[in-house]
Amino acid sequence: MPPPARRPDTRTFYLDHEAVVLTGGRLFYLNASAAFVWACREEGLSPAATAAALAEAFGISRSQARTDTDRLLDRWRAERLVLDRGDACRTLAPEPLIRASAPPDFRPAAERRYRLLDSGFIVRLESTELEDWVHPLLAHLQTPVEPAHIVNVFTEQGAILVTVDDRLVGRCRAADEVAALVNVTILLAAYPEAGGLAAFHAGAVGIGRGCVLLPAESGSGKSTLTAALVAHGGEHLSDELALLLPKSHEIRPVPVCFAIKEGSWPVLQSRFPVLATLPVHRRLDGRLVRYLRPVSRDGAAPSALPVVRIVFPRYRAGFSTRIESVSTAQALCRIADAGYDDIDLFDSDVVSELIDWLASVPCHSLEYSDIDEAIDAVCALARD
């Protein structure tokens, strides 16, 4: 049987004994044995020859090696990572943008101008009630500069719509949901214009002369740990999306508010007494949050800082604090799994630069249940 065909949009990055495969804008992590099988496949070896080589290299039986090889090939076919001969690659057409203009009779009751990163916005709100919900989150970004983007917030058929430059971003049903929607609208519009190499779903805290990057999926405790580190004396660079600059590979500060979820209020109350006085907002996923304005250590705007450690946090109730090293290949895939915006995974040069940068930064996983122990662990890593 001939080996499966290689997808034409595939590139492989070998990192020590592991590998990362980039295909169709997706990243796949391969451990040492899977990377070996993948290399054999790229060299055109048949499944039988691959199994024989795997058995010799890893000291396992040929029958076990053949089982492992077939299982990997089946998994890669299911993921469309490899194709049987004659298969065609599927391409998905991008979803069209939904155009949505404010009604012709729209007369905003309030207009505010804000600046985030390099982008200016004018936010036009239908009522002062909506302004009362939205403006406190953005007040520290207020500016007199001429805006490049127009954000409209208005009601239509019982729903509150948010548009940016006549493109529908989202809709909600209640006033307590609109601020979170406007906040993320401005955030996502500003990032592509900031000239970053990548924007990670991560917290970023300045400690000493560098910063610790905390990439994690929603619900991992990332924001809680980021806020606690800032209360401990760290400098707030980012809570939601961390912007990595090209070439210098510094993290550029993004001064948006902390979004503190309901479950973290008791943990952070003693560190931020103002938290109990802040209004409760509802995100579109139904989560209740309070927004904390970013705090600077010395009153001056923070500067971009190099990353000295990457830590992947995960809160696990009842677990002892545990730190483990993470390889470059695992780190890249964990960052992708955590989520990102404005990373061109179709551009192999971008991925190559990310890998080269990641290889120069120590990476760790952190499991914790005690926030004070987690703070001590992160600070020790940053200063090591």
Side-chain angles (χ1 to χ4, degrees):
M1 176 186 293
R6 171 180 177 150
R7 284 181 58 141
D9 59 350
T10 296
R11 182 170 177 186
T12 305
F13 301 88
Y14 290 99
L15 306 162
D16 296 326
H17 299 295
E18 301 172 320
V20 172
V21 178
L22 170 64
T23 184
R26 296 183 298 164
L27 291 172
F28 295 86
Y29 164 73
L30 306 181
N31 63 18
S33 58
F36 185 91
V37 172
W38 184 267
C40 291
R41 184 203 63 81
E42 288 199 318
E43 291 176 8
L45 272 64
S46 68
T50 296
L54 181 67
E56 182 176 352
F58 286 82
I60 59 178
S61 68
R62 289 205 172 195
S63 61
Q64 181 62 53
R66 184 57 192 263
T67 298
D68 293 345
T69 298
D70 289 344
R71 184 181 297 117
L72 282 169
L73 292 174
D74 287 343
R75 183 190 309 163
W76 294 339
R77 287 188 186 96
E79 293 280 1
R80 304 289 294 177
L81 198 54
V82 298
L83 304 171
D84 288 321
R85 298 292 177 181
D87 277 0
C89 291
R90 294 180 296 175
T91 57
L92 298 177
E95 294 184 7
L97 298 177
I98 300 176
R99 309 302 299 182
S101 299
D105 59 350
F106 176 50
R107 298 292 183 268
E111 293 187 352
R112 298 277 191 170
R113 298 185 182 212
Y114 307 103
R115 183 177 181 86
L116 179 61
L117 298 171
D118 301 324
S119 303
F121 300 85
I122 183 168
V123 178
R124 307 165 72 232
L125 302 115
E126 185 178 75
S127 69
T128 55
E129 179 193 7
L130 294 175
E131 180 192 26
D132 290 342
W133 280 101
V134 171
H135 180 62
L137 270 67
L138 306 173
H140 60 292
L141 303 176
Q142 200 159 352
T143 178
V145 301
E146 193 65 27
H149 301 285
I150 299 174
V151 177
N152 286 323
V153 184
F154 56 94
T155 56
E156 185 176 274
Q157 296 180 349
I160 304 171
L161 274 62
V162 177
T163 68
V164 58
D165 302 329
D166 290 334
R167 177 170 56 86
L168 180 64
V169 176
R171 67 183 74 223
C172 56
R173 291 290 176 184
D176 64 353
E177 296 175 327
V178 73
L181 185 52
V182 172
N183 190 53
V184 75
T185 296
I186 289 177
L187 189 63
L188 295 181
Y191 269 90
E193 299 175 353
L197 175 68
F200 307 126
H201 183 232
V205 181
I207 301 175
R209 297 183 178 179
C211 86
V212 175
L213 191 66
L214 301 163
E217 299 178 58
S218 181
S220 64
K222 165 186 65 67
S223 294
T224 305
L225 180 55
T226 302
L229 285 165
V230 170
H232 190 69
E235 190 160 50
H236 175 208
L237 300 183
S238 174
D239 167 48
E240 189 63 25
L241 284 174
L243 184 66
L244 180 71
L245 298 175
K247 297 183 180 179
S248 71
H249 300 143
E250 295 175 316
I251 296 296
R252 182 177 177 183
V254 185
V256 295
C257 290
F258 282 110
I260 308 300
K261 301 182 189 70
E262 183 178 17
S264 299
W265 298 345
V267 178
L268 296 174
Q269 180 61 52
S270 63
R271 293 173 168 87
F272 298 97
V274 72
L275 191 60
T277 70
L278 299 176
V280 177
H281 297 257
R282 188 181 301 275
R283 301 196 316 189
L284 294 186
D285 61 4
R287 307 287 288 274
L288 299 181
V289 298
R290 285 184 165 124
Y291 288 93
L292 272 173
R293 188 173 297 183
V295 178
S296 176
R297 285 185 295 196
D298 54 11
S303 57
L305 291 174
V307 178
V308 295
R309 283 289 192 278
I310 298 175
V311 178
F312 298 92
R314 184 183 179 191
Y315 173 81
R316 301 187 71 179
F319 274 63
S320 299
T321 301
R322 184 173 66 178
I323 301 172
E324 294 182 349
S325 294
V326 173
S327 71
T328 301
Q330 291 173 319
L332 180 62
C333 291
R334 284 192 181 206
I335 285 173
D337 289 342
Y340 54 84
D341 183 71
D342 200 32
I343 303 179
D344 189 357
L345 291 182
F346 289 93
D347 187 334
S348 60
D349 291 336
V350 169
V351 177
S352 293
E353 186 173 349
L354 283 174
I355 288 176
D356 290 343
W357 165 69
L358 278 172
S360 70
V361 181
C363 301
H364 312 270
S365 64
L366 168 65
E367 291 185 345
Y368 74 94
S369 62
D370 186 289
I371 191 68
D372 292 309
E373 289 184 3
I375 290 170
D376 291 342
V378 171
C379 291
L381 286 172
R383 296 189 172 107
D384 187 4

